[in-house]
């Protein structure tokens, strides 16, 4: 525990001194301590360049199956800033695996202004079962956001997505 805390403090100290480099932060994403891994994910976001974005995304994809909830949550938060199919696939995986409101909120934050597109993608995923209460709450939240945006064409697309799912999607009757 003490050594893990020292590594965590070292990362944040280097960042505070503006002396943290990409290789150090990126390497810490494989640390044995979940708090160090989660902090390094967050710190890597600040150090991203066009040349490091791909490696960062690949590592986040690997961390989607991390055993610690904090690492998975930070992974989900960081993936929200990456606009790619691979990132969204991991976000769907994390949403399906982690039924807490905290993960749902992190996902909704990450797909801001892409809610309809993300909802469309969710509905095509076999691993995302509409029948579970957690998944239904996420779908309801995404749909409500699209409706609240009050853009007629997007609401029409939303309703079009749900035509064959009337019994599964109660928010369609709003």
């Amino acid at each position: 525990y003490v050594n893990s805390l020292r590594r965590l403090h070292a990362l944040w100290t280097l960042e505070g001194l503006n002396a943290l480099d990409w290789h150090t932060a990126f390497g810490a994403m494989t640390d044995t301590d979940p708090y160090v891994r989660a902090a390094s994910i967050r710190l890597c976001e600040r150090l991203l360049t066009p040349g490091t974005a791909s490696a960062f995304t690949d590592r986040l994809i690997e961390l989607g199956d991390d055993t610690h909830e904090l690492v998975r949550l930070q992974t989900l938060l960081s993936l929200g800033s990456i606009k790619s199919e691979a990132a969204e696939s991991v976000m769907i995986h994390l949403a399906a695996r982690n039924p807490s409101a905290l993960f749902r909120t992190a996902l909704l934050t990450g797909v801001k202004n892409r809610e309809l597109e993300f909802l469309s993608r969710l509905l095509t995923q076999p691993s995302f079962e509409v029948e579970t209460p957690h998944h239904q709450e996420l779908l309801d939240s995404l749909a409500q956001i699209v409706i609240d945006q009050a853009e007629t064409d997007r609401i029409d697309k939303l309703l079009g997505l749900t035509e064959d799912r009337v019994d599964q999607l109660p928010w369609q009757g709003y």
Side-chain angles (χ1 to χ4, degrees), residues 1-14 31-37 39:
Y1 171 77
V2 173
N3 286 333
S4 297
L5 188 58
R6 287 180 182 156
R7 290 191 307 276
L8 184 62
H9 282 238
L11 282 172
W12 284 107
T13 300
L14 286 169
D31 195 275
T32 57
D33 184 84
Y35 294 93
V36 173
R37 288 194 307 276

Side-chain angles (χ1 to χ4, degrees), residues 115-116 142-151 154-155 158:
E115 294 87 1
L116 178 61
L142 288 163
Q144 189 62 56
I145 291 168
V146 172
I147 291 167
D148 289 346
Q149 291 168 342
E151 295 179 27
R154 290 179 64 78
I155 293 172
L158 172 67

Side-chain angles (χ1 to χ4, degrees), residues 3-87:
N3 286 333
S4 297
L5 188 58
R6 287 180 182 156
R7 290 191 307 276
L8 184 62
H9 282 238
L11 282 172
W12 284 107
T13 300
L14 286 169
E15 196 277 335
L17 294 170
N18 204 22
L20 183 64
D21 63 69
W22 169 256
H23 295 291
T24 303
F26 188 75
M29 290 173 70
T30 60
D31 195 275
T32 57
D33 184 84
Y35 294 93
V36 173
R37 288 194 307 276
S40 68
I41 295 167
R42 188 166 173 212
L43 291 167
C44 278
E45 283 184 40
R46 300 173 186 201
L47 301 169
L48 278 179
T49 65
T52 60
S54 178
F56 182 61
T57 302
D58 291 346
R59 182 65 54 88
L60 288 177
I61 290 168
E62 293 170 13
L63 290 171
D65 284 323
D66 196 276
T67 57
H68 199 275
E69 182 179 58
L70 179 64
V71 176
R72 292 191 312 270
L73 180 61
Q74 185 59 56
T75 298
L76 180 58
L77 289 165
S78 295
L79 284 167
S81 64
I82 300 170
K83 314 295 189 263
S84 75
E85 274 192 43

Side-chain angles (χ1 to χ4, degrees), residues 117-134:
E117 295 75 16
F118 192 80
L119 175 61
S120 175
R121 191 142 185 233
L122 267 180
L123 292 173
T124 65
Q125 300 300 308
S127 65
F128 198 85
E129 299 172 18
V130 176
E131 295 80 23
T132 68
H134 160 68

